[in-house]
Amino acid sequence: MLRLILFIALVGSTVFCGREKDFRIRTNRIWEEEKEEKPFSGRWQDLETDPYDNVVHFDGETHLANVKQLTFEGMNAEGYFSFDNSKLTLQATGYGTDCDQIYELDLNIDPKLQTLRRISTGLGGTTCSYFYKEEDNNHRLYAGNWWNIKIDNHTDVSKTCPQKQCANPQTDELKQLCNTSYTWDIFDDYDIFKVDRYGNFVQRLTDTPGYDAEGVVSPDGTKIAFTSIRSGDLELYVMNTDGSNLIQVTNELGYDGGSFFTPDGKRLIFRASRPKTPEDIAKYKKLLSYNLVEPIAMELFIVDIDGKNMRQITHLGEANWAPYMLNDNKRIVFSSNYNAAANGFGAFSIFMINDDGTGLEQITFGKDQFNSFAMQSYDGKKLVWGSSRNGTNYALNLFIADWIDHPGTTTNTVMKDTTTTTGATPSADKTSTNKHFSTEDKTTSTATPTDPNPSSDTTTPIPTTSTGTPTSTTQKTEKWQWSRGGI
């Protein structure tokens, strides 16, 4: 009888542990297996997670390890590292305002144990934040139109978002353009501002009519690259970090934007549209007259910061955007839907390519997934990006992973079937039931998103609800509209 009792207890504990592990994988908790302990830095971003669960880490993603989710629900994007890799600045909607505001996250603390700290005012719309290069991370920049918002005692500040042209077209011509185009708004009162760690205004860096946004800081901390319409077209510019010594970099018809400095600081990697036919040129100019662009045909380009030696890198067709050059000063990660027929309508994957246009390789997988805004940490050890994985139809979240430069098993060709991988995979014999799971498996925080006082240092709780993988890609493409080049 004693042996029978011990046997039943052993079987029960095994089943419980298995279920517990499955639950922790689904909810993105850390699973620590019994193995030789490795030295731990004490930073949350360095914790290990279970690989290839097909919830936050998909089969085939061999360049990624220890994938962890940083935000939960809402629309979160454009997460960029501080120069010491300890913090992330990002833009997000869903925390008390109807359009993007700028927030900050500490990467050394579990995101479920902290709150997003809002940096922007809460007025109007914002986009494209970036840290200055400082030891104390005291300053950052972002673009917005808060300076042009008129408020009084009766104003609901959460409803002060800029009006999108196609939300309520006022002319027959605009209605026709909106009905036949997928558009991004180029808000004509966006300017770039420098603020301190508390969001206090320090300096207005641009002050010309029209759109000024998409600012980034050079690796040496001395320059800012950004997109402006001050010439009549959307071109790239470089200036000192105090706004002085302005230089126009590009001067070719089309939307030049989403730029980043290369690691050596000598060039800009960016994406651009290049209308060529008379019909495409006429449509581009007409949309631009309404402060609109149609970002369905974009390719990657590279240019010296003085405007010389510009050349095209990709020739893939469709939308290729959100490029970032890795620390080797050669390879570029970017987002593309050029093979979306295999991934599902509206799906974007992250790819990698050499700066000479060779060596195309797919980095992220997962059917009907949106992946973009990739940035490598300055020490080359991490990759942060935005993804629809482990979210709802209206959720875009940020993820961080260890970057594996030379994975033991790599896929050197671009895969067309995202449900399986070609050749050997690290988990070819591993199956997962975690793509969709019931409400009983959710972990929900009792914290509710709030809208902190813009002048205070209070913070916005991050909701911690996880649901199944998105299934409606039509809804996703309607919802995912971001600046810097962002759907």
Side-chain angles (χ1 to χ4, degrees):
M1 178 61 71
L2 179 59
R3 290 182 179 178
L4 178 61
I5 293 173
L6 290 174
F7 175 75
I8 293 173
L10 178 61
V11 171
S13 63
T14 302
V15 171
F16 174 79
C17 290
R19 289 179 177 175
E20 171 67 10
K21 182 173 181 179
D22 287 342
F23 173 77
R24 295 179 75 175
I25 290 174
R26 286 195 301 267
T27 55
N28 198 30
R29 283 164 168 73
I30 306 302
W31 179 256
E32 298 178 355
E33 297 183 354
E34 292 184 4
K35 57 184 178 181
E36 183 180 352
E37 291 187 2
K38 298 179 181 179
F40 176 51
S41 68
R43 308 185 309 172
W44 177 85
Q45 61 176 292
D46 294 330
L47 287 172
E48 296 182 359
T49 60
D50 200 78
Y52 305 107
D53 60 359
N54 287 313
V55 176
V56 299
H57 191 190
F58 287 91
D59 290 334
E61 295 178 339
T62 56
H63 280 282
L64 308 177
N66 298 317
V67 179
K68 293 180 281 292
Q69 190 165 343
L70 293 168
T71 61
F72 302 83
E73 300 305 317
M75 299 295 293
N76 310 267
E78 300 208 42
Y80 302 125
F81 288 98
S82 59
F83 280 84
D84 65 359
N85 306 307
S86 68
K87 300 181 184 301
L88 206 69
T89 182
L90 65 134
Q91 63 190 58
T93 299
Y95 304 106
T97 59
D98 289 348
C99 53
D100 295 335
Q101 295 295 317
I102 305 302
Y103 297 88
E104 197 167 296
L105 194 64
D106 190 329
L107 295 175
N108 296 332
I109 301 174
D110 187 336
K112 292 183 178 180
L113 302 179
Q114 62 177 304
T115 54
L116 284 174
R117 189 165 68 88
R118 197 177 73 200
I119 301 299
S120 56
T121 65
L123 294 172
T126 66
T127 190
C128 305
S129 56
Y130 214 83
F131 282 95
Y132 274 65
K133 188 174 185 179
E134 300 167 324
E135 289 186 4
D136 59 359
N137 291 320
N138 189 37
H139 295 101
R140 55 277 287 142
L141 61 80
Y142 69 88
N145 70 335
W146 59 268
W147 65 274
N148 199 30
I149 304 298
K150 306 296 188 295
I151 62 173
D152 56 31
N153 293 334
H154 304 289
T155 302
D156 182 350
V157 296
S158 69
K159 306 296 182 182
T160 57
C161 299
Q163 180 68 39
K164 293 188 174 183
Q165 292 279 17
C166 288
N168 185 26
Q170 298 298 308
T171 67
D172 290 340
E173 181 180 62
L174 181 57
K175 289 178 182 178
Q176 174 67 17
L177 287 169
C178 292
N179 288 337
T180 58
S181 310
Y182 172 69
T183 60
W184 293 346
D185 289 81
I186 305 298
F187 297 115
D188 62 1
D189 55 355
Y190 268 25
D191 276 303
I192 301 174
F193 298 88
K194 179 181 181 180
V195 299
D196 68 13
R197 70 180 70 194
Y198 305 111
N200 297 316
F201 171 80
V202 175
Q203 183 184 1
R204 184 171 182 167
L205 297 171
T206 62
D207 191 11
T208 57
Y211 178 83
D212 293 297
E214 307 177 30
V216 294
V217 177
S218 62
D220 65 2
T222 65
K223 294 179 176 61
I224 294 171
F226 66 103
T227 294
S228 176
I229 201 172
R230 64 187 65 197
S231 71
D233 193 20
L234 291 159
E235 307 289 1
L236 296 180
Y237 292 79
V238 170
M239 62 183 174
N240 293 341
T241 50
D242 62 0
S244 64
N245 194 28
L246 181 71
I247 299 173
Q248 183 172 343
V249 179
T250 61
N251 187 23
E252 189 169 338
L253 186 69
Y255 180 11
D256 298 348
S259 69
F260 285 93
F261 287 91
T262 56
D264 61 8
K266 297 179 180 180
R267 299 174 294 170
L268 295 176
I269 177 74
F270 66 102
R271 52 100 184 112
S273 62
R274 288 289 182 261
K276 297 297 184 184
T277 68
E279 294 77 15
D280 288 344
I281 291 172
K283 185 175 185 180
Y284 174 79
K285 290 182 176 180
K286 182 58 65 177
L287 283 168
L288 201 60
S289 71
Y290 287 102
N291 293 318
L292 293 171
V293 291
E294 185 180 32
I296 59 173
M298 298 183 292
E299 300 289 351
L300 304 190
F301 292 77
I302 195 165
V303 64
D304 296 347
I305 62 172
D306 61 3
K308 298 178 181 178
N309 300 315
M310 183 168 68
R311 57 183 173 83
Q312 187 171 338
I313 297 173
T314 60
H315 300 82
L316 297 173
E318 304 300 331
N320 305 279
W321 58 294
Y324 189 86
M325 183 168 276
L326 300 182
N327 288 13
D328 61 8
N329 215 54
K330 178 181 180 181
R331 294 170 299 164
I332 300 153
V333 287
F334 67 101
S335 182
S336 177
N337 68 339
Y338 93 95
N339 66 345
N343 296 331
F345 177 76
F348 282 80
S349 299
I350 293 174
F351 293 84
M352 182 167 62
I353 195 170
N354 295 327
D355 65 356
D356 62 0
T358 64
L360 182 66
E361 182 180 353
Q362 189 167 342
I363 302 300
T364 64
F365 294 87
K367 185 175 176 57
D368 297 337
Q369 295 295 321
F370 177 94
N371 295 275
S372 190
F373 308 112
M375 179 188 184
Q376 189 179 42
S377 59
Y378 290 97
D379 61 7
K381 296 179 179 179
K382 306 289 182 182
L383 193 80
V384 67
W385 79 103
S387 179
S388 63
R389 62 188 66 198
N390 198 28
T392 66
N393 293 336
Y394 290 95
L396 184 64
N397 287 299
L398 294 177
F399 294 79
I400 191 171
D402 294 350
W403 176 255
I404 308 301
D405 216 4
H406 301 287
T409 304
T410 182
T411 51
N412 293 319
T413 57
V414 177
M415 297 180 185
K416 297 297 184 182
D417 181 2
T418 58
T419 58
T420 60
T421 58
T422 58
T425 6
S427 56
D429 59 345
K430 187 170 184 176
T431 58
S432 173
T433 58
N434 296 333
K435 289 186 178 180
H436 301 276
F437 42 92
S438 67
T439 54
E440 286 79 6
D441 291 327
K442 296 178 182 178
T443 59
T444 305
S445 167
T446 56
T448 304
T450 60
D451 186 21
N453 187 305
S455 62
S456 71
D457 191 30
T458 54
T459 52
T460 304
I462 305 174
T464 57
T465 302
S466 297
T467 58
T469 313
T471 56
S472 173
T473 54
T474 302
Q475 289 178 321
K476 288 193 296 184
T477 51
E478 287 290 320
K479 188 71 176 177
W480 289 335
Q481 297 197 35
W482 297 87
S483 195
R484 193 180 296 284
I487 292 174

